[in-house]
Amino acid sequence: YGARVTPEGTVLEPDGFAISQAASSKKSPALAFDGANFLVAWQDNRAGSYNCDIYGTRVTPRGAVLDPSDFVISSAAVDQFTPGLGFDGTNFLVAWTDFRSGEYSDIYSARVTPQGAVLDAQGFLISHAALNQSAPIIGFDGANFLVAWTDYRTGIYSDVFGTRVTPQGTLLDPTGFGIARAASSQVGPSLGLGFDGENFLVVWEDYRSNHPDIYGAVVTPDGEVIDTGAVIRQDGNQF
């Protein structure tokens, strides 16, 4: 479901409106705006409880659903979860957690046009490091995307890694780079990402103090990580 909210905080659809009511469960919606319409993407179990895919639909600013039957963004083998979205001025980039390779999850992505055409039907690989990568988020700096995710490549504890991706789908940092690698775990889904016209700000849920705090780091468009120890909130139990 969705609802529009005015800049003054008025909820225009207090009961929401249906975006997808296809069979079975739909979870973890994400959205981005292309200047004309929204793209909403989610994880979808309509193919069966053990076969989760990524679906999407376009929604107008008036709340009209342009693709009432939805469309497939990824229906690769096994499961795809937790999409993240960005828009580069021409196409959307959708990234997700993907189990097609077997026991551990990777990050895959696909470009989607404002008309709802999926340009990368099989998706393309963002990260295939050791163990699990999950919960991607996306920002755009006017030239390239920054994709960030929760990453377990170093073992039992997770870090935050990222890579830059061109609008053509080329990875500028093929092995990824560490954004947060402190003691204990740094995780999503409290991961957030924004761009201020000069740099990205990445924030995450951080357990270095043995309870969850909110930390952040500034990442430049060149992929340099600065201010890695910035504490945004540290009085315990932030979620």
Side-chain angles (χ1 to χ4, degrees), residues 176-197:
F177 58 88
I179 296 173
R181 305 185 68 180
S184 194
S185 288
Q186 291 78 50
V187 301
S190 297
L191 206 63
L193 193 158
F195 184 71
D196 66 3

Side-chain angles (χ1 to χ4, degrees), residues 128-143:
H128 182 54
L131 303 178
N132 289 309
Q133 291 82 50
S134 64
I137 56 170
I138 302 176
F140 185 69
D141 65 11

Side-chain angles (χ1 to χ4, degrees), residues 106-131:
D106 301 315
I107 304 296
Y108 271 76
S109 191
R111 295 167 298 153
V112 180
T113 71
Q115 294 74 39
V118 180
L119 298 179
D120 310 286
Q122 302 304 314
F124 60 90
L125 189 63
I126 296 286
S127 179
H128 182 54
L131 303 178

Side-chain angles (χ1 to χ4, degrees), residues 23-122:
S24 197
S25 298
K26 286 150 283 296
K27 299 179 181 180
S28 300
L31 78 165
F33 186 64
D34 66 10
N37 299 301
F38 297 95
L39 175 63
V40 184
W42 61 88
Q43 63 186 54
D44 194 299
N45 285 97
R46 72 184 67 186
S49 59
Y50 296 101
N51 190 358
C52 193
D53 299 317
I54 304 296
Y55 273 73
T57 191
R58 296 168 299 147
V59 181
T60 74
R62 294 181 177 273
V65 177
L66 295 178
D67 310 289
S69 297
D70 314 325
F71 59 87
V72 177
I73 296 174
S74 177
S75 59
V78 196
D79 289 320
Q80 293 79 48
F81 294 113
T82 58
L85 267 77
F87 183 69
D88 66 10
T90 301
N91 295 307
F92 296 97
L93 183 69
V94 186
W96 60 86
T97 308
D98 195 300
F99 280 89
R100 73 181 71 183
S101 296
E103 180 179 2
Y104 297 112
S105 60
D106 301 315
I107 304 296
Y108 271 76
S109 191
R111 295 167 298 153
V112 180
T113 71
Q115 294 74 39
V118 180
L119 298 179
D120 310 286
Q122 302 304 314

Side-chain angles (χ1 to χ4, degrees), residues 148-174:
W149 62 87
T150 302
D151 196 300
Y152 283 87
R153 70 181 67 186
T154 59
I156 190 171
Y157 293 116
S158 61
D159 300 312
V160 178
F161 270 72
T163 189
R164 295 167 299 148
V165 182
T166 72
Q168 294 74 37
T170 300
L171 270 63
L172 298 178
D173 314 285

